Structure formats: structure tokens, C-alpha cells
Amino acid sequence: MNKKLEKLAHLFLYFGFGVGMVAIYLARYSPTEQFLIIVLLATFYIVWGFSYHHAKREATGRLFLEYLLIALIAVLAGFFVLMA
Amino acid sequence: MIHRKIARQIIPHHHEDGKQHHAHALTVPALFTYFQIFVFLIAGLYFVKLRAPQVLGVATFSAQQIIDLTNAKRVQNGLGPLTYNGQLAAAAAAKAQDMFSVNYWAHNSPLGRTPWSFITGAGYRYIYAGENLARDFNDAGSVVDAWMNSPSHRENILDANFKEIGVAVASGKLTGVDGILVVQMFGTPVAAVPVAPTLAQAPSPIPSPTPQTAGKQVALQTTPIPSPSPAPLAVINPGDNVNLEQGAAPAASATVLASRQFSISKIVTLAIVGFIFFLFAIEVLFVVRRDNLHLRPGVLAHLGMLGFVLLVIWYAVQGAII
């Protein structure tokens, strides 16, 4: 994967986070919807990570575990504040 | 030696074998520990809620506070204050009780009851009517601020057509969550508006549109109906039925435990997620500054994800409105 594609891939990821922030703002008085947006974004992040690192041929079990754990931390943090 | 060990916990470094290692506080086992901390925190919160909810503090506010703050916003915007109406307060209390007993969070009940049916059920004859709902806030100011920040709710609060107000503040369990529910009913009684001949011919209320956020309805009701005797003032006890008390001014209030929960959860979450974010940011900073280090795969994505969560938590709003 060349540098340009890498940049584009990261732009796509950060664009996703940007869309997520707008969605969070629009759902600012609905904690349930906000939590669902976090779950969706965490899923998007894992799928992106899997695809990106697979394409770069640097995918390892440890790396996916890292993605999974950070996504789980994000979801639990959202649950703790918004839903618990 | 000790400071070197501490540094290795938080910054990327090379081991004796020449391999680059990231901060020990960012290894997979360390991330798993943070994950476990959240699991324990959530489990602990549920345990405290079950066994010692008083630890979480008390939130209490009254319908009068909501009315005062609503009127203050109207006055600030050049409108006249709304007059308290006991029938609207009774309608609001009946709506709150219905929401608790049928267990729904919406303007229309699953059984098809509209907000307007509660208003007419309380004997209030209206030309204009509106409803704002809020739940799970810890103070009256936050409720009114949230409504003022939402265009449709703000429209109700600042509607020049409304003349009267009734509010019910109730605590209990709604959709599985303990909290305070606020029902705010607005109205303009038939008597408050001179009836034009054309209006007098209107036989029945105009069918309401599907209630959306901050429901509002215009109806023309001209058939004289005797006004009910002194309007009951609604006070809803925690987790129980509606109690109606007689009174000239609203004093209905609700108390729930768990007022500190939101702020504690927010601070703890910001601290843990912020710490992990900080470690990844340090890693990026060190890699940029030192030529002998390279950026590990995934770090920028992790930073993005954690930054997103931090922003969500930072701007998380306590409570919900519809």
C-alpha cells in the first residue's frame, strides 16, 4: 500500500469519526442513541483496522486484540457514562 | 534506575536486544486491565445502586422551580410569564403516572393516548396546547436549559400563544432506569381568547398531527363545559402511584438517589480513557522527535477512537428530552 492510499485510508477513518461526532451532537438528548452511535463507531473502527492492516500485510493477532480491546474500552466507557 | 522503569511504563523505548517496545502501560495485558477496570466499575455501580443507593447522593427539584425558570426565560425574551393552572398540573401528573404505569418514554402512549387526552381529561378546555418532556436530570436548571437548547422545545417555552402552564415532577423507574420525570403542559384556555363567530361553529377539536418532539396542538373548543372544582395539585411519590393534593400553587417535587452518579462516572471515565489517550499521544510525540523509533501500526487509529470517546464523554448530557 503506497503512502497516498495510507493517507486516504486514515482520512476515511477520521471522516467516520467526524460523522460520528455530528451524529452524537444530533442525538445529544438521547443517551441510548448516543450509546448506539459509539457501538457503531467501534464496529467501524474494528472493521477498518482489520481491512487496513490486512491490506498492508501487517496483520497480527496481537494487533487485532489491541483493536478489539480499545473498541471494548470505548463501548464500556460509553455504557458507564450514558447507560449505567 | 527507578525513573527509567517508570519511563518505560509510559514511553516507547528500545530493549537491550535492540527491538523497539511500546510503553508497558499500552501492552495488550495493560489494555485488558483497563477493560477489566470498566467491567468492575459497572458491576460495582450496579451493586451500589442495589445495596446502598444513598451513597450516590440525592437529587431533588420541584415543579415550581421548573415553572419559575420557564417564566424567567419567557421574560428574558420579552414575553409575559405563564400563569399556573391546576388542571394542566393534574394533566401533567396523570401523564407522568401513565408513563410510569405503562412504562413508555414518548409523547403518545403505546395504547394510543395522546398528550391532549390528558389535558381534556383534566377538564381543561384549550385553544392551544403543548407538551415538553424530560427525564433523568438532577436539577431544574439543567432541564430548562436542555429544552431551551432544542428548537422545538424552545418554541413551546417561548410561544406567545400559551397563557398557562402546569408541571409534574415525578420520580420512579421508567424503562428500567430510576430517575426524575418532568412533564410540562402548556395551554391557552378557551376563555382566554375572544371567540369569533367562525370559531363558534367549529364542532370539535381539530385532529392533532402526529405528536413529534415537543408536542403541540391547536384546538377550537367552544362548547361551554363547567370548569371543575379547585384543581388538584399533583405530587407523585417515588416509584408509586399519583397522589393528588389540593393547593393553590405547585409544590410537587421529586427526589431520586444517584445524583452524583453521572459526575462520578464522567470523571472516572475521562481519567481512564484520557490516560490511555495520553500514552498513545506520548508515543506519537516520541516517534516524531526521535529518529530511531518508528510508529507502530494502529496507533493513529487508536488515537482517533479514544479521542472520539473522550469528546463524547466530555459533552455527554445528563438526562434526555423529547
Side-chain angles (χ1 to χ4, degrees):
Chain A
M1 190 184 273
N2 64 38
K3 290 281 176 193
K4 203 174 175 182
L5 267 177
E6 279 183 32
K7 270 188 184 174
L8 269 177
H10 278 92
L11 269 178
F12 178 65
L13 176 71
Y14 276 79
F15 176 74
F17 289 135
V19 170
M21 280 315 298
V22 173
I24 287 285
Y25 175 77
L26 293 175
R28 62 193 178 284
Y29 291 115
S30 174
T32 310
E33 285 177 20
Q34 285 190 326
F35 177 66
L36 285 176
I37 293 165
I38 293 179
V39 172
L40 277 176
L41 254 291
T43 311
F44 166 70
Y45 158 78
I46 290 177
V47 171
W48 181 92
F50 184 86
S51 314
Y52 175 76
H53 295 293
H54 188 74
K56 275 193 82 179
R57 299 175 193 282
E58 61 185 11
T60 61
R62 189 198 58 79
L63 187 59
F64 288 135
L65 207 55
E66 209 171 277
Y67 269 88
L68 188 68
L69 281 170
I70 287 173
L72 281 172
I73 287 168
V75 168
L76 284 183
F79 183 84
F80 189 50
V81 173
L82 300 168
M83 305 296 288
Chain B
M1 195 65 185
I2 292 173
H3 72 270
R4 196 174 169 187
K5 273 189 177 176
I6 294 171
R8 284 187 166 192
Q9 296 293 321
I10 58 171
I11 57 174
H13 52 274
H14 285 106
H15 276 194
E16 288 69 24
D17 56 5
K19 276 188 176 178
Q20 179 185 326
H21 288 252
H22 45 270
H24 291 175
L26 282 180
T27 55
V28 168
L31 291 174
F32 187 65
T33 305
Y34 307 134
F35 166 75
Q36 283 178 310
I37 289 172
F38 273 113
V39 172
F40 282 121
L41 281 174
I42 291 168
L45 184 64
Y46 277 102
F47 182 79
V48 170
K49 274 182 169 181
L50 209 67
R51 294 295 173 94
Q54 67 279 3
V55 171
L56 297 169
V58 173
T60 179
F61 59 92
S62 69
Q64 185 61 54
Q65 285 174 286
I66 298 284
I67 294 172
D68 290 345
L69 289 165
T70 300
N71 279 334
K73 296 291 180 193
R74 284 177 67 90
V75 171
Q76 277 171 19
N77 286 275
L79 295 166
L82 299 167
T83 311
Y84 167 77
N85 181 284
Q87 287 167 313
L88 284 176
K95 172 65 184 279
Q97 174 59 25
D98 191 58
M99 289 173 81
F100 281 126
S101 56
V102 183
N103 194 30
Y104 67 95
W105 168 238
H107 285 290
N108 280 356
S109 88
L111 304 174
R113 287 197 75 181
T114 64
W116 330 121
S117 69
F118 294 99
I119 295 176
T120 50
Y124 189 82
R125 309 282 299 156
Y126 66 89
I127 291 181
Y128 300 102
E131 181 190 69
N132 282 346
L133 298 176
R135 63 180 287 190
D136 304 337
F137 287 90
N138 284 339
D139 61 279
S142 304
V143 174
V144 177
D145 285 345
W147 281 333
M148 288 301 285
N149 286 328
S150 157
S152 54
H153 296 86
R154 181 188 170 89
E155 202 178 304
N156 268 351
I157 289 174
L158 301 181
D159 193 327
N161 289 317
F162 293 141
K163 305 292 177 204
E164 295 181 336
I165 188 172
V167 173
V169 179
S171 59
K173 189 170 251 185
L174 189 65
T175 57
V177 179
D178 280 316
I180 291 181
L181 176 65
V182 184
V183 180
Q184 186 180 45
M185 297 280 199
F186 301 95
T188 304
V190 172
V193 176
V195 179
T198 47
L199 295 183
Q201 292 167 9
S204 60
I206 293 169
S208 75
T210 309
Q212 297 163 1
T213 311
K216 183 185 289 182
Q217 191 187 41
V218 179
L220 302 172
Q221 297 178 315
T222 53
T223 315
I225 287 184
S227 188
S229 53
L233 169 67
V235 177
I236 302 179
N237 287 333
D240 211 327
N241 297 320
V242 180
N243 290 333
L244 298 175
E245 290 178 3
Q246 301 293 326
S253 65
T255 302
V256 287
L257 296 167
S259 70
R260 292 192 201 119
Q261 183 194 316
F262 182 75
S263 46
I264 292 173
S265 304
K266 198 167 171 170
I267 291 167
V268 168
T269 306
L270 280 173
I272 299 173
V273 179
F275 176 68
I276 307 170
F277 179 86
F278 169 77
L279 292 177
F280 277 117
I282 288 274
E283 181 163 344
V284 172
L285 210 67
F286 264 75
V287 169
V288 169
R289 286 189 164 208
R290 292 188 182 177
D291 295 335
N292 60 343
L293 293 172
H294 65 271
L295 199 60
R296 288 187 300 126
V299 171
L300 290 178
H302 301 337
L303 264 179
M305 185 71 220
L306 292 167
F308 170 76
V309 173
L310 276 178
L311 282 172
V312 173
I313 304 305
W314 183 264
Y315 287 108
V317 176
Q318 170 200 39
I321 58 172
I322 52 169

